[in-house]
């Protein structure tokens, strides 16, 4: 372990330079869902690729039909094991912009209750997280001259927009991407001082719907009454998705959803999770969702249907007495267990279409789909990674679930036959996807140290 | 009537110059609901005031707390009668902009099925309409040298945003504004060849609601399930406003709504109104609203509740898995008979507030309110105006209702003790408040001729 100690010292000594690199990365507005930022996405990919080349990886920016991938390799002679590290360089749109205290793409340090933290869009999701791994690799190479295992790095630029290019890219580059194990740094810690490995992830079905009732916007004085109003129709459709107990009413939705085994339920009860504090931190005064389920169960083990956006008619300042021609909503369904994203999309579309009143039409636009993931909690690689985390944090890592969706994990298994370890250093209050996103300096610093220890441990993998 | 003939000839001969003036007026984007256009509103007021000064009116632009009023007088010595003409120089916002075939504030002539027409925001509502009156007055002054009756012109700039400055302005200028009769040119013809006098107008209650469920936008993966979603809450509230038969469920809403007297119902049935053509022209494939009522009854004699705008969460390109902190809607209720706008607003707010689930808050913002109007159909002034219209169009004018709301008419009666004649030359297919708004050249030309005849007739008023 003396080798690792030198690496850790290097990470500590180089923290100012690591932060400079992170700030430069965060300055690139690589918003994948908005085509206005196409060039910025490529710029972020090139920046990351240059970083990897700079520490001796053989790296390239690979074109896809969407935003490019970064693929980089460094395979030491005699390395017994080979890991594929995955991250994403794209970020969520920063709106609503007016709620940011400082511009989202001008990173800054601020003092928080746990010490310094980095505020910027992407600081936590996922630029800060993915750099923890690259900085760990850099420290190995700059001290010992080599990595303890062979490493392939794969960075995508469409994680926030459904990863449409991933499967075609896997199909074309299977041999190049195959490794013994995938590592993904896009998840969180249990709390600020307790590391975690995430073994459960929800799946996701994204759908955009448009209700059309007339050929053009109409004056609500001249037509109000006999004219069908698409906002009314859409509201009724949205309101029809749940019953009074929070259950989703789309037929077949709960097929493949199992009750939590008592052993796991007991484990979760033992975590001492503070529901009130969790909801309170988000400013939530009431609790919604399925009746009779705990907050952790609702997030980690139950499916949901959320409306992520709705719009139609006049939404500007003042008033406009219009009956619009169309109204729109963006809907996402989070999946668990063996729920089938394809069957659920079909059923959702049928359910909504059947509920349309006369004179209203509906159209659908797909925004990605993936099933839920449950990873083995007893693999040798997981035990080694847990050792590394324990050494860094002096605490037993928690095996936890996540309400989020990371479609790549399913693709690694299905397309490349690889298991994944999900290890990340984000915190619940990082405000990812929200204004004023932040990443704790301790997450960034000790995250890099954690990866150094995990890589060293994985060299022992038989 | 020889005097009028000279005036009519002048209107015909001067049509090209009249159109030039209209196009200049339409080029000013006087959008009253958007504070960005504050200076443009003042520019439109000044433009109109200059026109009136130019034909010998004593005219001024009068400040208010909002957009200014234009007040102009021309009182011939010996004129027996005095009319107040009202119009508004403000226009609706032009969005959605991408549906305009040409820029909304660059007026153009195009060929339509009824001849030439003028396409621009405000061409029909209300710049084109109000200029028909000013051009008639101009023709009188430029031929005979004087008007047949005393005329006060009042133009406001807040008609499209609830007319908040009107009552204070009336309070301060009662003596100056009082006349024998008000004339309002903000309504339509029965059809392209049949003139009309509107005697029924619906009232309006405008309300903006905001549902808040959390302190900030949340990630729908991390919080989806236990977090209350304001879009769901808002959709359920909107969906709760009507029953399956199209009736509004707000308590007390129908108080003051009478069934149509059989005499009027029979009159309307006799109009030969083509419901299918009316709905079809707007691209409406089905008919909504209260079950068992005719289209004309729904628009002229029944109250409604419409959602004019809804927004919340991510509404841009692509997808963002967010649970927003807030969702919003703009709601308008059209009133008839003796429905009380104040009581209805109170009841609506109570109804929505009572339906909130735990953890959701609601706030309200008022956007104007006015009761419905029913005008006497048998006054001497109406008979004289009807004669003028009959002479111009060679058809009996129809006494009709309108689904729209013109709050000024109630204010004229209540604040100044004046009756109003609602005479306008708009057509149902003018697309007012919609992209590609137009005004028929025949409406503009024969509208001015109609006002000349009406003014001449009103000089005979005993």
């Amino acid at each position: 372990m003396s080798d690792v100690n030198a690496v850790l010292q290097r990470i500590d000594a180089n923290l100012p330079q690591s932060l400079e690199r992170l700030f430069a990365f965060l300055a690139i507005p690589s918003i994948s869902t908005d085509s206005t930022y196409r060039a910025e996405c490529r710029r972020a990919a090139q920046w990351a690729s240059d970083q990897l080349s700079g520490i001796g990886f053989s790296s390239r920016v690979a074109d896809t039909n969407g935003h490019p991938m970064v693929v980089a390799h460094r395979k030491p002679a005699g390395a017994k094991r080979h890991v594929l590290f995955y991250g994403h360089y794209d970020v969520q749109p920063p709106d609503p912009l007016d709620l940011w205290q400082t511009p989202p793409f001008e990173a800054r340090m601020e003092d928080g209750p746990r010490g310094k933290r980095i505020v910027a869009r992407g600081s936590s999701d996922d630029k800060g997280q993915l750099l923890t791994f690259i900085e760990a690799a850099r420290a190995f190479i700059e001290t010992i001259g080599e990595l303890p295992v062979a490493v392939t790095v794969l960075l995508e630029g469409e994680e926030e927009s459904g990863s449409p290019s991933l499967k075609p890219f896997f199909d074309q580059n299977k041999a190049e991407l195959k490794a013994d194990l995938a590592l993904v740094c896009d998840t969180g810690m249990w709390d600020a001082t307790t590391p975690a490995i995430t073994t459960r992830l929800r799946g996701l079905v994204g759908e955009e719907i448009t209700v059309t009732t007339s050929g053009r916007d109409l004056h609500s004085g001249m037509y109000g009454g006999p004219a069908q109003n698409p906002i009314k129709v859409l509201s009724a459709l949205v309101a029809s998705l749940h019953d009074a107990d929070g259950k989703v009413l789309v037929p077949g939705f709960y097929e493949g959803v199992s009750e939590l085994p008592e052993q796991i339920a007991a484990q979760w009860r033992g975590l001492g999770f503070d529901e009130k504090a969790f909801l309170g931190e988000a400013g939530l005064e009431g609790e919604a969702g399925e009746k009779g389920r705990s907050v952790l169960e609702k997030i980690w083990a139950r499916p949901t249907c959320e409306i992520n956006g709705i719009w139609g008619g006049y939404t500007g300042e003042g008033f406009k007495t219009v009956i619009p021609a169309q109204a729109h909503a963006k809907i996402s369904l989070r999946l668990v267990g063996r729920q089938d994203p394809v069957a659920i999309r079909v059923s959702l579309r049928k359910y909504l279409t059947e509920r349309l009143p006369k004179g209203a039409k509906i159209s659908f636009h797909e925004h990605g789909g993936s099933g839920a993931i449950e990873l083995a909690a007893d693999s040798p690689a997981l035990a080694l990674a847990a050792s590394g985390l324990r050494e860094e944090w002096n605490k037993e890592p928690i095996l936890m679930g996540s309400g989020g969706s990371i479609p790549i994990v399913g693709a690694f298994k299905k397309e490349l036959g690889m298991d994944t370890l999900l290890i990340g250093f984000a915190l619940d209050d990082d405000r990812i996807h929200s204004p004023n996103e932040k990443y704790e300096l301790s997450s960034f610093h000790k995250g890099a140290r954690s990866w150094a220890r995990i890589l060293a441990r994985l060299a022992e993998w038989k």
Side-chain angles (χ1 to χ4, degrees), chain A:
Chain A
M1 296 305 294
S2 61
D3 281 3
V4 176
N5 284 335
V7 174
L8 297 175
Q9 279 164 24
R10 177 81 184 178
I11 288 171
D12 297 348
N14 263 8
L15 183 59
Q17 291 80 357
S18 298
L19 281 169
E20 264 177 43
R21 287 186 282 267
L22 174 58
F23 277 41
F25 199 15
L26 292 171
I28 308 171
S30 45
I31 304 164
S32 59
T33 59
D34 185 340
S35 56
T36 318
Y37 295 90
R38 175 165 292 273
E40 298 293 346
C41 287
R42 179 166 293 271
R43 196 151 72 86
Q46 191 60 55
W47 185 92
S49 180
D50 291 347
Q51 293 297 313
L52 289 160
S53 302
I55 53 171
F57 276 72
S58 138
S59 181
R60 67 191 167 97
V61 173
D63 285 339
T64 70
N65 282 334
H67 301 298
M69 305 277 177
V70 177
V71 191
H73 306 283
R74 181 157 176 147
K75 298 181 182 167
K80 277 172 280 173
R81 289 295 183 172
H82 178 194
V83 296
L84 170 73
F85 177 83
Y86 163 90
H88 63 92
Y89 64 79
D90 64 323
V91 299
Q92 282 275 325
D95 52 295
L97 269 177
D98 55 334
L99 295 185
W100 283 82
Q101 283 157 19
T102 49
F105 297 105
E106 295 174 19
R108 65 183 164 95
M109 289 292 250
E110 70 170 19
D111 290 308
R114 305 184 195 98
K116 298 263 178 219
R117 55 199 198 181
I118 305 136
V119 180
R121 170 57 86 233
S123 57
S124 177
D125 181 19
D126 185 44
K127 287 173 175 169
Q129 299 247 62
L130 78 84
L131 271 198
T132 59
F133 185 88
I134 294 176
E135 290 299 316
R138 176 191 301 277
F140 262 108
I141 292 159
E142 290 179 355
T143 49
I144 298 166
E146 198 41 275
L147 294 165
V149 292
V151 172
T152 294
V153 172
L154 171 67
L155 307 178
E156 77 160 313
E158 301 180 331
E159 200 274 343
E160 304 293 5
S161 53
S163 302
S165 304
L166 215 51
K167 184 163 177 330
F169 192 75
F170 278 8
D171 286 346
Q172 285 160 30
N173 301 277
K174 260 185 196 170
E176 184 184 353
L177 295 171
K178 180 84 177 85
D180 297 317
L181 176 73
L183 301 173
V184 170
C185 189
D186 198 15
T187 52
M189 313 235 305
W190 171 250
D191 61 31
T193 59
T194 316
I197 301 176
T198 298
T199 58
R200 303 169 68 101
L201 286 170
R202 290 197 286 193
L204 182 67
V205 167
E207 190 81 349
E208 185 167 324
I209 68 176
T210 297
V211 170
T212 304
T213 54
S214 65
R216 59 177 168 90
D217 288 1
L218 301 171
H219 186 298
S220 72
M222 293 186 50
Y223 291 91
Q228 192 60 270
N229 184 321
I231 302 176
K232 280 190 210 172
V233 174
L234 180 63
S235 295
L237 291 179
V238 167
S240 78
L241 288 168
H242 294 83
D243 71 11
D245 292 335
K247 284 207 100 171
V248 176
L249 291 169
V250 175
F253 183 70
Y254 290 95
E255 270 172 36
V257 180
S258 311
E259 284 301 312
L260 205 58
E262 175 48 32
Q263 189 200 348
I264 295 180
Q267 239 179 59
W268 290 2
R269 283 195 298 272
L271 289 173
F273 179 71
D274 186 340
E275 297 195 339
K276 245 192 169 151
F278 175 79
L279 298 173
E281 183 278 319
L284 291 163
E285 291 186 10
E287 186 185 332
E290 286 180 279
K291 223 175 170 174
R293 310 260 176 200
S294 74
V295 168
L296 270 194
E297 193 182 0
K298 283 176 187 172
I299 297 175
W300 290 359
R302 299 298 301 177
T304 66
C305 171
E306 291 298 337
I307 320 303
N308 304 110
I310 194 166
W311 71 105
Y314 184 66
T315 61
E317 199 189 334
F319 214 87
K320 182 174 169 178
T321 48
V322 65
I323 298 177
Q326 297 192 318
H328 316 261
K330 294 186 199 262
I331 299 180
S332 65
L333 303 108
R334 298 275 170 179
L335 310 186
V336 302
R338 296 171 315 284
Q339 277 180 297
D340 176 356
V342 175
I344 283 176
R345 190 188 306 278
V346 169
S347 182
L348 172 71
R349 290 181 175 189
K350 184 162 177 281
Y351 181 81
L352 294 174
T353 305
E354 284 170 356
R355 267 154 192 78
L356 283 181
K358 222 184 127 182
K361 288 178 207 146
I362 192 165
S363 62
F364 301 94
H365 179 72
E366 176 173 340
H367 284 287
S370 64
I373 299 289
E374 287 181 33
L375 299 162
D378 55 1
S379 70
L382 186 142
L384 288 165
S387 299
L389 287 171
R390 196 182 306 116
E391 286 154 14
E392 177 61 26
W393 299 87
N394 294 312
K395 271 193 182 175
E396 191 59 33
I398 303 236
L399 302 188
M400 66 181 220
S402 164
S405 306
I406 306 178
I408 187 90
V409 179
F412 282 150
K413 186 73 186 181
K414 196 172 159 200
E415 309 295 332
L416 303 175
M418 277 191 294
D419 285 323
T420 297
L421 285 182
L422 290 156
I423 298 168
F425 307 97
L427 296 181
D428 281 349
D429 66 0
D430 276 358
R431 301 171 180 262
I432 71 168
H433 294 205
S434 292
N436 306 307
E437 178 179 348
K438 61 89 181 162
Y439 197 45
E440 300 285 335
L441 179 59
S442 64
S443 291
F444 185 64
H445 181 200
K446 287 173 75 67
R449 289 174 54 99
S450 297
W451 282 121
R453 292 184 192 271
I454 291 166
L455 288 173
R457 282 288 175 194
L458 286 174
E460 300 165 20
W461 186 11
K462 297 286 178 273

